[in-house]
Amino acid sequence: MPGIPIRTAALTAAALMTAVALPLVTAGPTSATTTDYDATYYKNAIGKTGASLKSSLHTIISSQSKISYSAVWDALKVTDQDPNNSSNVILLYSGVSRAKSLNGGAVGDWNREHTWAKSHGDFGEATGPGTDLHHLRPADVQVNSVRGNKDFDDGGSAVTNGGGSLTDSDSFEPRDADKGDVARMILYMAVRYDGGDGFADLEPNEKVNNGSAAFMGKLSVLKQWSDEDPPSAFEEKRNQVIYDTYQHNRNPFIDHPEWVESIW
């Protein structure tokens, strides 16, 4: 497959007035990718597979700046800005563009969704996994409530105003355009948080109803979602903003989606 350069994007917001340059990503003949960060940021991971790759990536992405939970509000207004309307953010699960000013807890507001449910490992809103922007996204208050702390799986009935998302008693299925995003966020968390930093060892598994255990399912479904919904320009830009402006670490599965299969 010939190399395809990712578009360079400029993010304009009150909190961020600088241009965001996305890394050049090209695909090789075996569906592997290369990026501008391979010789620098990822240099100690290149060429590795399986547990060795996971361990190397953990070391790399664990070097990060951390923000408070209250600071997440303003950060999401930048990371998830609607590219077509700088006054709005794009909501996870529903895909709705909503005013940045409507952040809160009332019907019609958006709030901070922990894609890796904070009860799965009992990390709450603590600085670390509870405030990690790589899995925090703006979501409609009511849709977020329907998702709750459910694991991810296929199937269910339509979520009201959920943009095509589905749910049943023990799982949640995001709309098609967000499935890969969700998978890569969950797998980032599993690599970043391995039992150090005073937090639980987060891992994907093949179950639903994981409750307060430090697991999130279903791994096979998440892998399928990542494969079927590759990283979008919005997702790539978001990764770059988090790296450049906030945490200074990256979600490796956005840069190298083939690493999902290599590790799991």
Side-chain angles (χ1 to χ4, degrees):
M1 179 176 177
I4 302 173
I6 287 181
R7 295 187 296 274
T8 299
L11 179 67
T12 305
L16 182 64
M17 300 299 291
T18 58
V20 178
L22 296 178
L24 179 67
V25 179
T26 59
T30 59
S31 297
T33 57
T34 59
T35 81
D36 290 346
Y37 290 101
D38 289 357
T40 54
Y41 189 73
Y42 292 124
K43 65 180 181 180
N44 292 329
I46 299 301
K48 296 180 179 179
T49 60
S52 178
L53 174 59
K54 184 181 180 186
S55 177
S56 292
L57 291 177
H58 168 74
T59 300
I60 291 167
I61 67 177
S62 293
S63 177
Q64 71 179 94
S65 300
K66 298 175 183 177
I67 67 174
S68 69
Y69 195 51
S70 61
V72 168
W73 285 120
D74 287 333
L76 292 180
K77 294 175 183 179
V78 179
T79 60
D80 291 75
Q81 178 175 286
D82 182 345
N84 298 313
N85 184 344
S86 62
S87 296
N88 287 12
V89 291
I90 299 293
L91 305 186
L92 186 68
Y93 305 140
S94 65
V96 168
S97 177
R98 184 164 296 169
K100 292 177 178 179
S101 59
L102 292 176
N103 62 297
V107 173
D109 286 347
W110 61 268
N111 58 5
R112 298 160 291 184
E113 157 70 334
H114 290 79
T115 309
W116 186 294
K118 56 190 176 182
S119 62
H120 290 231
D122 193 29
F123 54 76
E125 297 163 0
T127 300
T131 70
D132 196 313
L133 291 170
H134 282 296
H135 86 119
L136 283 161
R137 297 285 291 269
D140 175 80
V141 166
Q142 291 177 292
V143 174
N144 193 357
S145 178
V146 171
R147 189 270 158 137
N149 70 344
K150 294 175 182 176
D151 293 89
F152 294 104
D153 196 4
D154 289 320
S157 56
V159 175
T160 302
N161 298 320
S165 298
L166 306 174
T167 194
D168 57 24
S169 62
D170 58 17
S171 69
F172 190 90
E173 177 184 343
R175 67 186 185 119
D176 288 348
D178 286 335
K179 286 179 176 176
D181 303 53
V182 166
R184 287 179 284 275
M185 287 188 281
I186 294 299
L187 298 178
Y188 161 87
M189 292 292 283
V191 172
R192 170 61 185 87
Y193 299 99
D194 70 346
D197 300 336
F199 298 108
D201 180 4
L202 307 183
E203 292 293 342
N205 68 1
E206 279 300 313
K207 294 174 59 180
V208 292
N209 278 328
N210 276 299
S212 61
F215 298 105
M216 187 70 70
K218 289 183 174 179
L219 175 59
S220 59
V221 173
L222 294 170
K223 288 173 61 178
Q224 179 181 347
W225 289 354
S226 181
D227 184 57
E228 293 176 348
D229 175 33
S232 64
F234 183 89
E235 195 179 355
E236 290 160 350
K237 183 176 179 180
R238 187 177 196 276
N239 195 29
Q240 193 68 36
V241 173
I242 293 172
Y243 177 73
D244 288 338
T245 307
Y246 294 103
Q247 296 183 182
H248 311 296
N249 72 338
R250 305 183 66 81
N251 182 333
F253 304 113
I254 296 174
D255 294 325
H256 282 276
E258 77 279 7
W259 281 347
V260 172
E261 185 65 34
S262 183
I263 293 175
W264 288 282

